[in-house]
Amino acid sequence: MSESFTEALGRRVLLGDGAMGTLARASGGLVEGHGAELCVIAPELVSALHERYLAAGADVLQTHTFAASRPRLERHGLARRVREINLAGARLAADVRDTAGRPAWVAGSVSPATPPGFAVPVDEARAASAIREQVEALVEGGVDLVVLETFSRAGELLAALRSVQEVTDLPVVAQATFVDEDGDLLTAAGESPADVVARLADTGAVAVGTNCTLGPQGLLDVVRRMGPTGGPALSAQPNAGLPHVVADRSVRFAGDAEHFARYVLRYVEAGARLVGGCCGTTPEHTAAAARALTTHDAWAPPTTPRETVPAPRAVPDPVPDADEAPDDAAAGPGRGAVERWLRGRPGSRGFLVAAEVAGAGGPDEHLGRARRAVAGGASVLWVSRSRARRATTSPAGLAVHLHDRVDVDTALTVTSWQTSLLALQADLLGLHALGVRTLVCETGNPPVHAEEAVGDGVWEVDGLELLRLAADLNRGVDADGVEIGTATAFRLGARITPGADDLDYEAERAVAKVEAGAEFLVSRPVFEVERLRTVLDGLAAAGRRVPVLASVGALTGYAQAEHLRHEVPDVVVPDAVVATMQKAGDGPDAARTGLALAAELVADAATLAEGVVVRWPGSAVPGLDPATAVTRLRAAANGAGGERVRR
């Protein structure tokens, strides 16, 4: 090869490939142990995946050796095969590179030595030895560079880089992974993108960047906060979008190829020199990115450093007034709104307005948001589980906190993922004893993990079984069929997903949930009502129509609309809504446009559903806060359905 990777990176933008692990599983490459074992038991499959990425336009092929170090392989009984697996992985990619007929490079993929889920990192000396051992095999196999990827701690990434440099003088790309914690982009150790760049700027890495965990839009903020570095090039490799577990327990990623390609261009505009994809991306994503790069003349390096685009700053919620002491119960319309709503007769039932309590902060911040929502007219407070990984108040703890301090009903979403039947039973009995009476049961999804987009979890109980368990407790019977003496008195709800691909199946599941004990249903976020109407028509046809709450949120800008449209599974944002938000942009007035659209939607939904859950991002937007949103959407329901709104 006439040109080295470092020379090429200095001359033009290079396009990396996409995911190997998720693509291998989607292609039928399933192993009981470690995914990298495919390099020795199914080499033809691994080679075929490399060939597909090369044909799609990738300049850089990553070996299928992520997490193939001794500490990671020994958990699967493969510790003695470290060299064999990594050598095979490097040679498979190198063979494809050598037949390319054009410049291409092979990157040896190296992960943190610490397996996911370990609270304490692997001992530094052992981790360094493991990195050296793996890299030696990759170099022997013919890689052109080493990629350290998906590191969630800057210190561990720096140590790994130094270990690589002890073995080889090949170029090294060092990538950290970040999570979005309510607007703060942080590693698991709490480090910002700027912190990571500062730790690695003078270490000799040819590129510093980020990969995994976040989708295309979220990763752009990381890249902007990283650059310009003044030294190493920037790299960016996002996931396809948010993952979730679908009906057959498989994992599906949101995020189409063209959306991915648009953001690849934006990474380049922000200064990135190496771009590609991570979990959930496919050769189709790579091909779309290659087309976008060539047609937009992005291959020539910028003549001057790109100006860093400042990250949007959230407007903090107003500090609660001094007379709103956290330990004092807040005034409100009183308890019983859910009970009265459910007992109302069809056609004359009041329109229920619930307000989601979400966002960053501790119990006092959440309490302030709850009080403002009640002041705006909410008769129920809604607590859902966040997918954030940062340590925070549990949803159950927050629900109890709000129940004790605000004089309204508090509804809690209970998820069953990674929880046993008996643990769920204990949680339900504890919630009942503490006064929480309204529950929405769902399976849920684990939070996005740096290395495993969706963990397998302990799926002993799904949302349907959770409903049946709670319904049994209401009848005074526990999970073993034994009478418990005093029955619980939960009002039970379940989720429906109008944005699902298969609405007939979704309607069937909704019927099953009602038959399992759901007294009401709550939609996932909706931005149009026709798909919700289809699901409800299926319920009515089966004779299982129950009251429904439509989840409605005011979009805060075009970026959020684009993110929901392309990166979040099972959320449908119509073309007209996206176009309107695109005109509104992302400035201070955009949220007002989003609220106006939400009010129109509530007016439509008021003729179909029996209430709404007002969703709000947590932090206030200039000129708007939860109280304003609740007031506006409550008024929209009143205007559409007469005086249906009741406290």
Side-chain angles (χ1 to χ4, degrees):
M1 185 180 300
S2 59
E3 187 176 37
S4 71
F5 171 80
T6 303
E7 291 169 340
L9 188 66
R11 187 175 62 83
R12 64 184 179 93
V13 170
L14 297 180
L15 177 60
D17 57 9
M20 286 293 290
T22 55
L23 186 62
R25 286 194 291 273
S27 303
L30 301 178
V31 291
E32 293 183 0
H34 195 286
E37 192 179 7
L38 288 171
C39 293
V40 293
I41 65 175
E44 66 288 345
L45 171 62
V46 176
S47 293
L49 300 184
H50 288 315
E51 289 169 356
R52 288 181 62 191
Y53 279 119
L54 187 70
D59 299 306
V60 181
L61 303 175
Q62 290 190 209
T63 58
H64 189 38
T65 57
F66 182 85
S69 61
R70 183 172 294 272
R72 306 290 288 265
L73 289 175
E74 68 183 3
R75 303 177 72 200
H76 304 279
L78 298 171
R80 290 183 294 179
R81 304 183 71 180
V82 174
R83 180 177 177 276
E84 176 190 6
I85 289 173
N86 284 278
L87 186 61
R91 286 175 173 169
L92 290 172
D95 287 345
V96 173
R97 173 202 62 197
D98 293 342
T99 62
R102 62 177 176 85
W105 296 268
V106 171
S109 174
V110 177
S111 78
T114 303
F118 275 45
V120 180
V122 168
D123 173 79
E124 290 183 10
R126 184 169 181 242
S129 175
I131 297 294
R132 289 193 297 267
E133 179 184 29
Q134 183 181 5
V135 172
E136 285 172 350
L138 291 170
V139 172
E140 183 181 351
V143 302
D144 302 298
L145 65 144
V146 174
V147 173
L148 300 171
E149 55 178 337
T150 325
F151 279 71
S152 58
R153 293 174 173 82
E156 191 174 13
L157 179 55
L158 178 60
L161 174 62
R162 289 171 174 163
S163 297
V164 173
Q165 291 170 333
E166 292 175 7
V167 173
T168 180
D169 58 0
L170 289 176
V172 181
V173 175
Q175 296 183 149
T177 190
F178 299 82
V179 292
D180 185 344
E181 299 287 3
D182 296 307
D184 289 333
L185 298 166
L186 302 170
T187 66
E191 300 144 325
S192 70
D195 293 335
V196 172
V197 169
R199 294 285 300 274
L200 296 168
D202 299 320
T203 59
V206 68
V208 175
T210 179
N211 75 293
C212 203
T213 310
L214 297 171
Q217 189 179 93
L219 206 80
L220 178 59
D221 285 340
V222 177
V223 174
R224 285 170 169 168
R225 298 182 196 193
M226 278 187 155
T229 67
L234 284 175
S235 64
Q237 295 178 299
N239 285 351
L242 286 179
H244 73 156
V245 179
V246 294
D248 62 357
R249 301 285 173 85
S250 64
V251 176
R252 181 168 71 85
F253 282 82
D256 59 81
E258 296 305 321
H259 174 72
F260 172 81
R262 285 195 296 274
Y263 273 86
V264 164
L265 281 177
R266 292 170 188 174
Y267 303 147
V268 173
E269 291 167 357
R273 311 291 296 152
L274 173 62
V275 291
C278 202
C279 298
T281 55
T282 67
E284 287 70 29
H285 291 79
T286 303
R291 290 192 300 271
L293 288 171
T294 54
T295 58
H296 286 75
D297 193 29
W299 298 98
T303 56
T304 57
R306 299 284 185 179
E307 180 182 356
T308 303
V309 179
R313 297 181 61 85
V315 179
D317 283 309
V319 178
D321 295 336
D323 60 352
E324 291 186 326
D327 293 331
D328 295 336
R335 317 280 188 194
V338 173
E339 184 75 25
R340 294 189 295 273
W341 179 65
L342 289 174
R343 288 185 177 180
R345 295 191 306 276
S348 61
R349 180 180 283 114
F351 194 86
L352 191 71
V353 178
E356 184 179 44
V357 181
D364 288 352
E365 288 88 346
H366 287 108
L367 181 57
R369 293 176 189 132
R371 287 171 169 161
R372 290 191 291 279
V374 170
S379 56
V380 178
L381 297 174
W382 201 273
V383 180
S384 298
R385 187 184 63 83
S386 169
R387 294 188 76 175
R389 294 184 57 82
R390 184 190 295 178
T392 186
T393 306
S394 71
L398 177 57
V400 172
H401 177 70
L402 296 179
H403 171 79
D404 288 346
R405 289 164 175 78
V406 186
D407 189 24
V408 293
D409 289 351
T410 300
L412 170 67
T413 299
V414 180
T415 58
S416 64
W417 74 272
Q418 209 163 1
T419 310
S420 69
L421 181 67
L422 292 181
L424 284 167
Q425 178 172 271
D427 289 343
L428 294 179
L429 292 172
L431 287 167
H432 191 270
L434 292 169
V436 176
R437 293 288 189 268
T438 304
L439 304 180
V440 176
C441 301
E442 66 175 9
T443 305
N445 284 296
V448 178
H449 190 279
E451 294 187 15
E452 298 175 357
V454 173
D456 292 335
V458 182
W459 298 94
E460 179 179 325
V461 185
D462 65 6
L464 204 56
E465 288 302 314
L466 176 58
L467 259 174
R468 294 186 179 118
L469 171 63
D472 284 344
L473 294 177
N474 276 350
R475 289 190 286 270
V477 178
D478 70 7
D480 295 319
V482 177
E483 293 186 3
I484 58 177
T486 302
T488 56
F490 292 121
R491 305 316 301 250
L492 300 175
R495 290 282 191 184
I496 54 174
T497 307
D501 294 335
D502 188 342
L503 289 183
D504 290 338
Y505 175 78
E506 186 62 26
E508 292 174 6
R509 287 284 293 178
V511 170
K513 291 170 183 176
V514 173
E515 292 176 344
E519 301 171 86
F520 65 98
L521 298 171
V522 187
S523 79
R524 296 195 184 278
V526 294
F527 295 90
E528 52 85 29
V529 299
E530 290 309 310
R531 296 177 68 87
L532 176 60
R533 189 188 307 278
T534 299
V535 176
L536 299 189
D537 286 347
L539 277 167
R544 291 292 185 269
R545 182 67 161 88
V546 294
V548 172
L549 293 171
S551 293
V552 177
L555 293 167
T556 57
Y558 174 58
Q560 185 191 24
E562 188 183 35
H563 173 72
L564 291 170
R565 169 72 172 263
H566 295 284
E567 298 186 31
V568 179
D570 293 335
V571 174
V572 175
V573 185
D575 292 341
V577 172
V578 174
T580 300
M581 294 309 300
Q582 187 171 17
K583 291 179 182 177
D586 290 296
D589 293 332
R592 294 182 177 84
T593 300
L595 185 55
L597 289 173
E600 293 176 7
L601 179 64
V602 168
D604 289 341
T607 62
L608 181 66
E610 287 77 23
V612 293
V613 178
V614 179
R615 304 178 69 249
W616 198 253
S619 297
V621 176
L624 296 174
D625 64 13
T628 306
V630 172
T631 300
R632 178 74 177 274
L633 299 187
R634 187 170 181 270
N638 253 333
E643 294 300 321
R644 292 185 59 203
V645 179
R646 299 286 185 268
R647 283 199 170 195

